[in-house]
Amino acid sequence: MSGSVVIVGAGFSGAVVARQLAEAGISSTVFDGRSHVAGNAHTERHSNGVMVHAYGPHIFHTQWDHVWQYITRFGEMKPYNHRVKATSAGRVYSLPVNLLTINQFFGTTLSPKEAEAFITERADRTIDVPVSFEDQALKFVGRELYEAFFKGYTQKQWGVSPTELPASILARLPVRFNYEDSYFNHPYQAIPAHGYTAIVEAILDHPLITVSLSTVKNPTELQGADHVFWSGPIDEWFGGAHGALGYRTLDFEQSTVKGDFQGCPVMNYCDVDVPFTRITEHKHFAPWEQHEGSVIFHEFSRLCEKGDIPYYPIRLVKEKEQLLRYVDAARALDGVTFLGRLGTYRYLDMDVTIKEALDVASTYLASVKSGDAMPAFVVDPLG
Ligand code: UDP
């Protein structure tokens, strides 16, 4: 492995770094243990023609012009407005919580102003700075909506009480006092016309990039490389020396039906006694296509164990303490940079992953030019 740049992981992080380096004239080899590129964003066509998000729903959304321009260089992105419904106590609602949800739930006909006053009335005003997920919910939507839409779903998704989770997880979802029901607020929202895997393959399609799939690389095999970019789990690099970092993994029960199963791409099931968190109907992610058949995923969340695919970093107090030890150990190394969701142990959306990979690549190119050492992290994993 001497005299070359090695990139571990052929998801968005690894692919973007490889491409940026290639365009600057630096060759690299990208390894991935799986038989496909694109990591958990991988898409594949079912035999009935439907494009399936193999590791669960992925919707591209961003506020950054440069990230949008970047991804659209590598394939057609079709405008797509994500709308989610939620079933709670046997009734269907609009999600995220908006004026329709509030009026449906309370059986009211409130105007935006009235709804805001109504919810403020119900919100817990004793909470000044919300620390936990539950604090955040009680402060912003009050107990009734929290219990109907967030408490059970969050318990199922994360396997712990919302009182133990950070407020930042709920901060991902807006609360709106109008009828806007888009799941995301970002100006660019889209899904690739031919799937994410085709986009990542296009990013990697460069004469200076070699891709080696179904190849698991461990750190000892990478000694002597000019530089290693590691987008695998940070604890794996150190052989789990400080304990395995906790993740949630997902199980999908796949079925196929004829016609339209649920009339929307994602239906969340918020009650704790329903064992799955959501049902995804993949053909609704590609409304520009026509399919008679349909592919359905019932999604179940559980603790990630050895051999499972890690999805969501848990980042509770115990994991943060372990992470700190791994970060210190990483900073003491030379010639390795950790990046991406697994490399920095953070809950990252695809656009953030691409943005950070672009930043990692430009930091590396600057370091090659200046002779300065390349840091272990471009973004602080604990920040
Ligand atoms: N959430 C919830 N009820 C819902 C949807 C989301 O309580 O119906 C909470 C849950 O804790 C989840 C978090 O909000 O983990 C973020 O939701 P998002 O839809 O962003 O999750 P993702 O699609 O990334 O799994």
Side-chain angles (χ1 to χ4, degrees):
M1 275 298 149
S2 68
S4 61
V5 169
V6 170
I7 297 172
V8 175
F12 272 110
S13 294
V16 168
V17 169
R19 182 71 187 209
Q20 295 305 98
L21 267 50
E23 289 182 1
I26 298 175
S27 59
S28 64
T29 305
V30 182
F31 295 102
D32 201 296
R34 298 193 229 183
S35 59
H36 59 75
V37 303
N40 282 4
H42 172 58
T43 43
E44 60 197 12
R45 283 213 186 265
H46 187 272
S47 55
N48 68 11
V50 172
M51 185 66 89
V52 173
H53 295 210
Y55 302 91
H58 280 72
I59 294 96
F60 184 84
H61 54 97
T62 191
Q63 58 180 317
W64 295 305
D65 293 336
H66 74 291
V67 173
W68 175 247
Q69 277 147 20
Y70 191 82
I71 194 163
T72 51
R73 267 182 65 197
F74 298 101
E76 186 189 353
M77 298 293 287
K78 292 271 199 192
Y80 171 84
N81 200 335
H82 194 43
R83 293 197 171 86
V84 173
K85 300 287 177 277
T87 297
S88 174
R91 301 180 68 170
V92 176
Y93 298 93
S94 178
L95 204 86
V97 171
N98 62 50
L99 192 48
L100 185 58
T101 325
I102 295 166
N103 278 329
Q104 286 172 319
F105 186 80
F106 291 102
T108 48
T109 55
L110 301 171
S111 68
K113 215 167 150 196
E114 289 165 344
E116 198 165 348
F118 181 81
I119 294 297
T120 308
E121 191 58 36
R122 289 181 142 64
D124 186 338
R125 273 164 286 178
T126 62
I127 300 166
D128 197 14
V129 181
V131 175
S132 72
F133 184 107
E134 180 168 288
D135 291 348
Q136 174 92 6
L138 293 176
K139 181 175 164 74
F140 286 102
V141 296
R143 184 159 296 278
E144 295 100 325
L145 292 173
Y146 163 61
E147 290 190 346
F149 297 108
F150 302 115
K151 194 176 177 188
Y153 187 102
T154 298
Q155 175 75 44
K156 291 189 289 184
Q157 170 71 7
W158 294 95
V160 291
S161 160
T163 54
E164 294 175 49
L165 290 164
S168 59
I169 294 179
L170 183 60
R172 289 173 58 83
L173 302 185
V175 174
R176 303 198 186 106
F177 296 107
N178 57 35
Y179 288 100
E180 173 59 54
D181 62 350
S182 286
Y183 204 66
F184 304 110
N185 285 326
H186 285 155
Y188 302 109
Q189 302 184 34
I191 287 192
H194 306 293
Y196 290 99
T197 300
I199 296 267
V200 176
E201 280 167 356
I203 297 174
L204 289 163
D205 182 16
H206 189 286
L208 293 182
I209 302 174
T210 306
V211 179
S212 182
L213 296 177
S214 307
T215 313
V216 178
K217 281 281 160 195
N218 64 57
T220 48
E221 293 173 84
L222 306 176
Q223 277 166 9
D226 281 349
H227 199 82
V228 178
F229 294 92
W230 181 267
S231 69
I234 182 168
D235 49 335
E236 200 177 297
W237 176 276
F238 297 98
H242 305 294
L245 289 170
Y247 283 93
R248 301 294 288 174
T249 191
L250 300 176
D251 294 320
F252 300 104
E253 266 178 32
Q254 179 173 325
S255 49
T256 51
V257 296
K258 286 258 177 281
D260 193 350
F261 177 75
Q262 63 180 14
C264 66
V266 176
M267 174 72 77
N268 288 357
Y269 285 83
C270 301
D271 301 330
V272 79
D273 52 358
V274 176
F276 44 86
T277 50
R278 54 187 175 184
I279 300 179
T280 295
E281 183 167 16
H282 295 263
K283 70 179 177 185
H284 294 302
F285 292 128
W288 53 90
E289 296 184 2
Q290 298 295 322
H291 300 285
E292 180 42 29
S294 197
V295 181
I296 314 299
F297 276 10
H298 284 67
E299 183 172 323
F300 300 80
S301 171
R302 64 176 170 83
L303 191 67
C304 185
E305 294 180 272
K306 212 171 160 43
D308 292 327
I309 296 172
Y311 283 75
Y312 298 91
I314 300 177
R315 289 178 72 96
L316 294 184
V317 176
K318 170 176 155 277
E319 288 86 7
K320 283 241 182 116
E321 284 166 4
Q322 289 174 305
L323 178 62
L324 180 62
R325 291 195 205 110
Y326 285 118
V327 167
D328 282 346
R331 289 201 166 121
L333 297 171
D334 237 1
V336 192
T337 299
F338 296 82
L339 73 163
R341 178 177 57 98
L342 304 173
T344 65
Y345 192 60
R346 281 146 67 238
Y347 188 175
L348 297 184
D349 288 331
M350 289 181 284
D351 65 326
V352 181
T353 307
I354 293 172
K355 178 184 179 292
E356 292 186 1
L358 289 169
D359 292 344
V360 164
S362 50
T363 306
Y364 180 70
L365 294 173
S367 80
V368 169
K369 219 167 164 186
S370 66
D372 292 343
M374 175 67 187
F377 302 98
V378 166
V379 177
D380 182 0
L382 295 152

